[in-house]
Amino acid sequence: MTGTLQPHSHGSTLVLTIHNPEHRNALGPEIYVAGIEALIAAERNADVRCVVITGSGGTFCAGGNLQRLLANREQPPEVQADSIEALHSWIEAVRSFPKPVIAAVEGACAGAGFSLALACDLLVAARDAVFVMAYVNVALSPDGGATWSLMRQLPRATAMQLLMLGERTGAERLHQLGLVTAVTPPGEALAEALRLGERLGSKAPNALASIKALANEALTQSLPAQLRDERDHFVRNLHHPNAGEGIRAFLDKRPAHYR
């Protein structure tokens, strides 16, 4: 058994909880498939404004199931390649999902779990949460986009320290480095993520989708190409009904109500 992904709604926020207590919420193929399906459904559901990914039982995710990885060594290489492709499809779905995705981290956040948290738009962590790029500690290299995320967000020497030494790093340190959005008392990461979800839910969904798309494009595009895309998104959003509501609400000094 590789665990389940348990969905529940909290207002306009969809919470996806990784549940695999026997293996400290280790990831596996069933969770990858469920994660992609949940995001597809959430994209189509206008009532969902934000998604939070968390783990059950005080642990975010211990990464990959080492017992399953050991068994896969006896299989053709294609078996593990297919499993990683499934993980990567979920990572890509999180990155391209047009609504905000928040990671709420308690306890251990290791290996592919760390990669998943880095793929989210915002990362809330309990003060005693522990992050570790654990791959090198078992003679493996990263997956889940860990190298892509860390090399873009951190100085090279800092990223390489996390990747090559496999050391445990606390939430406060990652907050100082800019990887963690907010640090909470133990046990309150999900509550803070839900509060962020409520704040995001009050914003115009089309504007948030444009911001996320532009932010993703900015990592690889030239400035002229990015300026063209910013122009096109701005004009499209100006002519969306939400812009009329937002501008009128600002001028009237009242809260805006977006759809």
Side-chain angles (χ1 to χ4, degrees):
M1 180 177 178
T2 55
T4 59
L5 192 67
Q6 300 177 339
H8 77 271
S9 296
H10 187 280
S12 62
T13 298
L14 173 66
V15 180
L16 301 176
T17 302
I18 303 167
H19 183 71
N20 187 4
E22 183 180 354
H23 299 288
R24 300 175 67 228
N25 297 336
L27 298 174
E30 287 85 353
I31 292 176
Y32 309 148
V33 172
I36 294 169
E37 291 176 347
L39 291 180
I40 291 172
E43 182 173 353
R44 295 171 178 165
N45 186 348
D47 292 333
V48 175
R49 297 292 186 93
C50 179
V51 171
V52 170
I53 300 176
T54 192
S56 66
T59 295
F60 182 72
C61 175
N65 184 331
L66 294 183
Q67 293 177 0
R68 184 168 60 83
L69 292 178
L70 197 60
N72 282 355
R73 281 175 46 81
E74 306 303 318
Q75 303 294 322
E78 293 77 17
V79 171
Q80 186 60 41
D82 288 345
S83 178
I84 292 177
E85 285 294 333
L87 166 63
H88 289 177
S89 293
W90 189 24
I91 296 293
E92 289 183 306
V94 169
R95 293 288 304 190
S96 63
F97 185 65
K99 303 175 185 183
V101 182
I102 305 171
V105 177
E106 298 276 354
C109 181
F114 196 172
S115 300
L116 174 62
L118 289 171
C120 297
D121 302 305
L122 300 171
L123 200 171
V124 177
R127 188 173 294 111
D128 59 353
V130 176
F131 298 79
V132 57
M133 277 291 152
Y135 303 93
V136 71
N137 296 333
V138 289
L140 294 173
S141 52
D143 60 5
T147 53
W148 188 93
S149 295
L150 291 176
M151 295 305 292
R152 280 165 170 76
Q153 296 182 69
L154 297 175
R156 176 181 170 84
T158 306
M160 296 302 278
Q161 179 182 7
L162 291 173
L163 291 164
M164 298 185 100
L165 294 180
E167 297 174 333
R168 294 156 61 93
T169 305
E172 295 280 9
R173 172 62 173 153
L174 294 190
H175 185 248
Q176 293 169 0
L177 292 172
L179 294 179
V180 167
T181 308
V183 177
T184 74
E188 295 187 18
L190 178 57
E192 177 61 22
L194 291 173
R195 284 190 287 270
L196 280 175
E198 289 178 5
R199 291 173 59 188
L200 290 164
S202 70
K203 310 296 184 185
N206 58 296
L208 292 176
S210 285
I211 290 167
K212 184 164 180 175
L214 288 166
N216 286 340
E217 293 165 0
L219 295 169
T220 56
Q221 288 205 122
S222 66
L223 177 59
Q226 189 73 9
L227 291 173
R228 287 193 296 271
D229 283 350
E230 286 186 351
R231 175 200 63 201
D232 293 345
H233 277 274
F234 188 98
V235 171
R236 187 160 60 248
N237 287 319
L238 178 64
H239 290 275
H240 191 285
N242 280 336
E245 166 63 10
I247 294 170
R248 284 190 293 269
F250 183 85
L251 295 175
D252 294 342
K253 296 181 173 57
R254 62 172 175 82
H257 300 284
Y258 300 116
R259 60 181 180 85

